[in-house]
Amino acid sequence: MPQTDMPLAQLLPHLDRLAQDALALWDLPEGAIARRINVSENTTYRVDAPGRRAILRIHRAGYHSRAAITSELDWIAALDRDRAIAVPGMHPGRDGQLIQSARIAGQGPRRRMVLFDFVPGRHPEEGGDLAPGFEQLGAIAARCHIHARGWRRPAGFERPAWDLEAVFGPAAPWGDWRAAPHVTPGIRDLLEEVQERLEARLARFGRGAGRYGLIHSDMRLANVLIGPEGPRLIDFDDCGFGWFLYDFAAAVSFVEDDPRLPALKAAWLRGYERICPLAPEDKAEMDSFIMLRRMALLAWIGSRRDAPEPQSLAPHFARGTEGLARRWLGGGL
C-alpha cells in the first residue's frame, strides 16, 4: 500500500521513524530525540537534545508545494527582519537549506521538513479569562496586516487563497462541508441558505486593498503560546490570501458558540484598533467571517476525520454549526 494511502494509525509509526532518522540532516547535538506532539495537516515533533530544543514539522504529502513552503518561510523571515511581530526562528540543514526532505523507509513521496526554534509557553486555556490574550492577539493581527500591505513579496511567491472559492468551490482544499459527519438533510438545507447569503454578502464587501491580502489564516488558540513576553504566534503553515477579518474568525475557531464571544470580539477589536483603525463597514461583517470559517472547519472535519482533533469534534460539530447558522441568519452572533 502506498504510504499516502495508509490509514493515519498505520502511518504514524513510519513518520516517527522518519522524524528520528531525519534529525541527521541538521547540525544537532548527539543524542537528539524527536517526540511527536501534534497531528493535524502536518505532523509535529519536539526535538530534545543536550542543551537545545527545537520543533520539527513534517509536511503532509501533497498539501503544499516546495515553492509554497518557501513563500511561507519568506514571510516569517520578513516579519522577523522588519520587527513586525515575534516569530519562531528557523534552522537550515547541513546543506544550508531551510527545507529538507526524505522518504519514509525509502518509499512513497519525499516528505518536506522544516526545523523551527522551540518557543516556551503555554496555550491559552479555553476555560480561563481569554479577553486579555485576545486583545494582544488583535494587536498582533493588526501588525501582521500592516506588514502584509507594505511588504514587497519575492518573485514566485506562492500561497493558497482562503476565499469563497476555497470554502465553497468544487476544488476546496478542505473538501465539501456537505460530506461532513452528521450533516442531516435539514442541516444541509439550512447551510445551503447560509452559503448563498455569505457568497452574496462577501461579494458586495469586496476585496479592496484595505480588506484583503496576505493573512495568517489560523490564529486560533492552538497556535498561540503565552510566554514571559506575552502571546506569540506560531504555525504559519496555512498563511495565504484572504480577508483580513478572517484572522479574527480563525481566532475564535471552535469557540464560536461560547457566550463570551461578544467580549472576545470587543477585546480583539481594542487590540487591533490600537494599531490600525477599522471602518464600521468592516466591523459589521465580522460575524459573516465567523460563519465562513465555521463552514470551512465543518468541511475540514469531514475530510480529516482520521486525525485526533477532527475525530473528537465530529460527533457534535454539525449540530453546533446548525445552531450558529440559525443565529447568524437571525441577525448576528
Side-chain angles (χ1 to χ4, degrees):
M1 179 184 293
Q3 298 289 341
T4 51
D5 293 340
M6 281 188 182
L8 183 63
Q10 295 180 28
L11 179 61
L12 285 175
H14 294 279
L15 287 173
D16 293 347
R17 286 193 292 274
L18 175 63
Q20 188 61 44
D21 293 344
L23 296 184
L25 295 169
W26 288 271
D27 186 16
L28 290 167
E30 188 175 349
I33 297 175
R35 294 181 172 89
R36 183 177 3 117
I37 58 173
N38 189 52
V39 180
S40 186
E41 297 304 320
N42 308 309
T43 309
T44 309
Y45 295 81
R46 192 182 79 186
V47 178
D48 293 300
R52 185 173 174 187
R53 278 184 175 175
I55 295 294
L56 174 65
R57 184 174 72 190
I58 300 182
H59 282 261
R60 181 187 181 95
Y63 190 57
H64 288 312
S65 68
R66 185 181 183 90
I69 298 169
T70 297
S71 298
E72 173 206 351
L73 303 184
D74 283 342
W75 191 31
I76 294 173
L79 286 165
D80 182 55
R81 183 178 60 249
D82 298 338
R83 299 185 178 181
I85 64 168
V87 292
M90 301 168 287
H91 299 279
R94 293 180 186 273
D95 62 0
Q97 300 298 310
L98 286 173
I99 302 172
Q100 300 294 311
S101 65
R103 284 191 177 88
I104 298 173
Q107 302 176 20
R110 296 181 71 85
R111 294 290 184 126
R112 298 185 179 101
M113 297 169 284
V114 180
L115 191 70
F116 295 92
D117 279 343
F118 174 82
V119 177
R122 57 176 177 80
H123 297 293
E125 296 179 8
E126 289 186 16
D129 183 5
L130 296 176
F134 263 74
E135 186 168 344
Q136 292 173 305
L137 189 56
I140 290 171
R143 292 188 179 100
C144 282
H145 299 165
I146 289 170
H147 184 272
R149 284 195 285 265
W151 180 48
R152 185 173 181 177
R153 297 188 292 272
F157 190 86
E158 176 190 318
R159 291 303 302 172
W162 297 105
D163 55 11
L164 291 169
E165 189 70 13
V167 179
F168 300 132
W174 287 353
D176 187 345
W177 58 263
R178 297 166 188 82
H182 308 296
V183 175
T184 64
I187 292 175
R188 185 193 61 226
D189 290 346
L190 179 70
L191 295 185
E192 292 280 10
E193 181 182 355
V194 169
Q195 175 176 330
E196 183 178 341
R197 291 203 192 181
L198 281 172
E199 289 174 332
R201 286 187 71 110
L202 296 181
R204 289 194 300 269
F205 185 69
R207 298 188 183 188
R211 291 178 171 175
Y212 189 96
L214 186 59
I215 60 174
H216 182 279
S217 90
D218 201 19
M219 288 191 186
R220 58 194 181 108
L221 300 181
N223 288 329
V224 177
L225 285 170
I226 308 294
E229 299 176 1
R232 179 171 295 197
L233 189 61
I234 60 173
D235 194 359
F236 283 70
D237 179 58
D238 277 332
C239 71
F241 297 97
W243 286 281
F244 292 125
L245 286 177
Y246 190 83
D247 271 340
F248 167 72
V252 295
S253 294
F254 309 119
V255 295
E256 306 97 331
D257 53 358
D258 192 298
R260 297 170 296 174
L261 180 65
L264 299 181
K265 184 192 297 185
W268 191 92
L269 280 170
R270 282 195 303 273
Y272 195 98
E273 293 199 292
R274 197 168 62 241
I275 308 298
C276 180
L278 281 170
E281 297 80 15
D282 292 358
K283 297 180 203 178
E285 287 303 332
M286 291 177 77
D287 287 355
S288 298
F289 289 108
I290 294 173
M291 201 66 237
L292 181 69
R293 171 71 172 185
R294 178 75 181 208
M295 292 187 71
L297 292 173
L298 181 62
W300 175 73
I301 285 171
S303 63
R304 306 289 193 267
R305 64 182 76 185
D306 60 341
E309 188 176 23
Q311 197 173 61
S312 68
L313 293 164
H316 57 81
F317 204 76
R319 182 65 65 188
T321 304
E322 177 191 24
L324 206 68
R326 292 191 186 282
R327 287 167 52 200
W328 183 74
L329 289 170
L333 305 177

